[in-house]
Amino acid sequence: MNKNHEEFMREAIRLSIQNVDENGGPFGAVIVKNGEIIAAGVNRVTSNNDPTAHAEVNAIREASKKLGTFDLQGCEIYSSCEPCPMCLGAIYWARLDKLYFANTKQDAKEIDFDDSFIYEELELSIENRKIPTTQILREEALEAFNRWRDKTDKIEY
């Protein structure tokens, strides 16, 4: 393993420990481009009253703002823990080149950060999920999709 990889992971771990000491969740992440940390994030769910304020999402937001782009190709993310489904989705949407993680989702489950129910929900049909879900006004909503499809000056993502 490249020494730099270990140094970057140690920084994500350091952030996770510091965040616990400051009453945040035990998660940290850094984003690296060209061998330099360009962004960092910690779990701010309770301090920000934002259920999406996970370490990886916060790091992605910071990197995107710093680089002025939603496309983070050429960057890698180091997370103190295997990402949850939301963060993993964000990592894919951000187009990060590579993901490194330390703790596993099983390690997280053992301290009551259990995301397995989300993975299970995704496998169910919509009508069998825990949150009642109803589709309405599809025909009206398709107008936006049709306009997007036909738009010639759109920024693809």
Side-chain angles (χ1 to χ4, degrees):
M1 175 68 66
N2 183 316
K3 185 172 175 161
N4 286 338
H5 293 306
E6 291 178 358
E7 290 172 7
F8 298 142
M9 184 58 74
R10 282 191 180 100
E11 179 59 11
I13 293 167
R14 185 193 71 74
L15 290 167
S16 71
I17 294 167
Q18 178 182 328
N19 204 47
V20 170
D21 292 344
E22 295 172 358
N23 293 318
F27 305 98
V30 297
I31 294 179
V32 173
K33 183 170 185 167
N34 299 326
E36 299 291 329
I37 294 174
I38 62 160
V42 294
N43 183 287
R44 294 279 186 227
V45 170
T46 56
S47 59
N48 290 2
N49 291 317
D50 179 354
T52 69
H54 289 202
E56 297 90 341
V57 170
N58 287 334
I60 288 168
R61 288 172 178 160
E62 183 180 319
S64 295
K65 184 175 182 180
K66 182 174 185 178
L67 297 176
T69 181
F70 56 83
D71 186 338
L72 298 180
Q73 289 181 64
C75 299
E76 300 175 332
I77 189 166
Y78 294 78
S79 178
S80 66
C81 186
E82 186 175 359
C84 74
M86 176 185 69
C87 292
L88 187 59
I91 288 165
Y92 275 97
W93 280 115
R95 297 181 179 99
L96 289 154
D97 288 357
K98 191 155 188 182
L99 161 66
Y100 299 88
F101 68 88
N103 292 321
T104 67
K105 60 185 175 185
Q106 182 60 39
D107 295 329
K109 182 177 183 176
E110 290 173 9
I111 61 164
D112 297 323
F113 287 93
D114 185 5
D115 299 320
S116 59
F117 75 98
I118 298 172
Y119 290 105
E120 292 165 6
E121 284 286 298
L122 291 171
E123 294 297 318
L124 296 174
S125 62
I126 290 171
E127 53 275 354
N128 290 324
R129 292 183 183 167
K130 288 184 177 125
I131 296 177
T133 304
T134 304
Q135 181 182 24
I136 59 174
L137 299 178
R138 178 176 178 262
E139 292 301 318
E140 290 181 33
L142 282 172
E143 179 64 24
F145 282 15
N146 293 335
R147 287 183 185 207
W148 175 258
R149 180 195 60 223
D150 299 338
K151 188 172 176 69
T152 58
D153 61 344
K154 62 187 166 203
I155 298 172
E156 301 271 354
Y157 60 97

